[in-house]
Amino acid sequence: MTHRFDEVADCAVVGGGPGGMMLAYLLARGGARVTLLESHGDFNRRFRGGSLAPAVLDFLHTLGLAERMLADLPHTTVSTFGWQAGERLYTLADYRRASRRHPYYALIPQARFLPYLAERAAAYDGFVLRTRARACRLLEDGTGRVTGVAYARGDGDRTVGARLVVAADGRNSKLRALGGFTARELGASLDVLWHAVPKNATDPATSGLRLHGVPGALLAVLDQDTHWQLGYMIPAGSFARVRERGTAPIRTAFGDALPWLTGRLETLHDVNELTLLPVRITTVDTWYRPGLLLIGDAAHVISPVGGNGINLAIADAAQTANLVLPHLLNPGQTATLDTACRQVELLRRPLTDREQRFQARAERGARARLESGRTTPPLPVRLIAAVPGLATRNGRRNAALIRIPAPLDQILRHSP
């Protein structure tokens, strides 16, 4: 089937989250024509962490972006990931030896990070950003190859033709469903109840990389620039019990664990004011079909516990840009473009599969602790915290897991 497109690009990226935005930036910087479709009007996402790992910061340094970004954007840094139980902190990972240049996670809300990256991408002629553009249909040729995507905007439906369409539209990916991919769950052990409260100027710097164990739940706090997102993690499927108890136990838990929040939860009286986010770890059998590639949570949903979803999505984007850019710049190389897309999955899948298996085990252990009412972490975490050097080794393991390749010279030769 031959389509008449409203616009044409080398690559159409659907989803302006960290993976999609980074991929669009890299391809545009490398000289490709990229249209990025973002369904929202801005990049202010609810319940999205902004924990940039040492490996990601090193990658941004190679691109000439890290130092400028860290100077321009308000942020905090944290060098450990831990579980707090009362007065005792159990350190699961220590990142102080994970990088010589950036031995920490930088905590930057996505509402700041994504517009910053979009501004850098806009410096390249090939970059086009369409906001409020909701992908609604894949376009195919007579062989079933994806050749573009249709999207709806306020002024009507439009189409963009592309040699490659990349689905970077998250855990509930519309393109994944449209493309005929089926997500398979690897385990569901936790659910998260979210609630937003305003930030005060006197609040301490804190991060989602510290979990607080309380009887029957885990607490997390995400910095969202103007407010805190409070996470109350419970065993999967136990929301009905929370509803029966009401909000008093939640207010008490946060007040006891984080007393500086006192006064900001007093208006929480109805459980319906909380937002339930089921924590799911899912995968698909393949990330690619001709003309359509899945990356980030569209391909492999990463649990928000630990904050690595953003980092693995960026790593996917970096690998994808390196592999597909040379073929996007040579229009006749369809077969080699297919090979490059399959290579993305071949290189990235073992790392994400490993992380998902680790997360599934960790969440099963955490659920068992929550159901028993114990506030201390599972035995493996207690052992890591107790044995000298294991937390540092675990921090290095996390850095190796993300594993971001150096950008192509084609990308680096164009200054940021």
Side-chain angles (χ1 to χ4, degrees), residues 312-324:
L312 292 171
I314 290 173
D316 284 355
Q319 191 78 74
T320 300
N322 278 4
L323 289 170
V324 307

Side-chain angles (χ1 to χ4, degrees), residues 155-238:
D155 56 355
D157 291 359
R158 297 179 63 83
T159 59
V160 53
R163 297 183 57 231
L164 177 64
V165 175
V166 177
D169 50 342
R171 62 180 55 223
N172 298 314
S173 171
K174 176 70 174 292
L175 256 65
R176 183 178 61 207
L178 290 174
F181 301 90
T182 301
R184 175 168 48 89
E185 288 198 9
L186 301 178
S189 299
L190 299 174
D191 290 337
V192 186
L193 299 172
W194 292 106
H195 185 65
V197 298
K199 285 179 68 174
N200 292 340
T202 56
D203 289 344
T206 188
S207 82
L209 296 184
R210 179 173 295 188
L211 304 177
H212 297 262
V214 300
L218 275 173
L219 312 181
V221 182
L222 299 183
D223 186 345
Q224 297 294 301
D225 195 18
T226 59
H227 60 280
W228 299 109
Q229 288 287 355
L230 306 183
Y232 187 81
M233 283 171 268
I234 57 176
S238 65

Side-chain angles (χ1 to χ4, degrees), residues 83-333:
W83 179 309
Q84 185 89 36
E87 298 298 319
R88 176 74 184 275
L89 174 63
Y90 297 86
T91 300
L92 174 60
D94 187 328
Y95 305 106
R96 286 175 290 184
R97 295 187 180 179
S99 165
R100 292 182 179 180
R101 188 177 297 275
H102 303 101
Y104 50 78
Y105 271 68
L107 309 173
I108 303 176
Q110 288 191 29
R112 289 186 181 271
F113 174 65
L114 295 176
Y116 189 84
L117 200 55
E119 290 175 6
R120 309 282 87 69
Y124 302 103
D125 292 339
F127 177 76
V128 176
L129 172 62
R130 305 291 186 200
T131 57
R132 294 188 172 89
R134 188 173 298 277
C136 55
R137 182 165 48 93
L138 288 171
L139 308 175
E140 302 178 1
D141 64 15
T143 69
R145 182 183 190 86
V146 173
T147 57
V149 60
Y151 61 95
R153 297 186 81 186
D155 56 355
D157 291 359
R158 297 179 63 83
T159 59
V160 53
R163 297 183 57 231
L164 177 64
V165 175
V166 177
D169 50 342
R171 62 180 55 223
N172 298 314
S173 171
K174 176 70 174 292
L175 256 65
R176 183 178 61 207
L178 290 174
F181 301 90
T182 301
R184 175 168 48 89
E185 288 198 9
L186 301 178
S189 299
L190 299 174
D191 290 337
V192 186
L193 299 172
W194 292 106
H195 185 65
V197 298
K199 285 179 68 174
N200 292 340
T202 56
D203 289 344
T206 188
S207 82
L209 296 184
R210 179 173 295 188
L211 304 177
H212 297 262
V214 300
L218 275 173
L219 312 181
V221 182
L222 299 183
D223 186 345
Q224 297 294 301
D225 195 18
T226 59
H227 60 280
W228 299 109
Q229 288 287 355
L230 306 183
Y232 187 81
M233 283 171 268
I234 57 176
S238 65
F239 182 57
R241 294 199 298 271
V242 173
R243 186 183 295 278
E244 290 174 1
R245 294 194 298 264
T247 61
I250 299 175
R251 295 197 304 270
T252 299
F254 278 103
D256 291 345
L258 302 162
W260 51 270
L261 284 171
T262 298
R264 276 170 278 181
L265 286 167
E266 298 308 312
T267 59
L268 178 62
H269 297 295
D270 190 340
V271 173
N272 291 325
E273 297 176 52
L274 303 169
T275 299
L276 174 64
L277 175 67
V279 175
R280 298 294 181 261
I281 304 173
T282 62
T283 186
V284 293
D285 291 336
T286 180
W287 298 5
Y288 180 69
R289 53 169 284 198
L292 176 63
L293 175 67
L294 314 183
I295 67 169
D297 274 358
H300 48 74
V301 176
I302 300 295
S303 165
V305 179
N308 260 341
I310 180 174
N311 298 301
L312 292 171
I314 290 173
D316 284 355
Q319 191 78 74
T320 300
N322 278 4
L323 289 170
V324 307
L325 179 61
H327 310 288
L328 290 177
L329 297 177
N330 291 278
Q333 298 186 15

Side-chain angles (χ1 to χ4, degrees), residues 24-96:
Y25 168 80
L26 293 171
L27 293 178
R29 181 169 166 176
R33 299 169 302 163
V34 186
T35 296
L36 175 60
L37 304 179
E38 168 52 46
S39 61
H40 295 82
D42 57 35
F43 299 103
N44 192 4
R45 301 289 179 273
R46 300 180 70 197
F47 321 130
R48 295 292 185 269
S51 306
L52 300 181
V56 168
L57 295 172
D58 288 346
F59 177 70
L60 293 173
H61 168 77
T62 303
L63 292 168
L65 298 178
E67 284 68 25
R68 192 181 309 173
M69 179 189 72
L70 294 174
D72 290 349
L73 300 185
H75 67 282
T76 56
T77 62
V78 61
S79 57
T80 60
F81 174 56
W83 179 309
Q84 185 89 36
E87 298 298 319
R88 176 74 184 275
L89 174 63
Y90 297 86
T91 300
L92 174 60
D94 187 328
Y95 305 106
R96 286 175 290 184

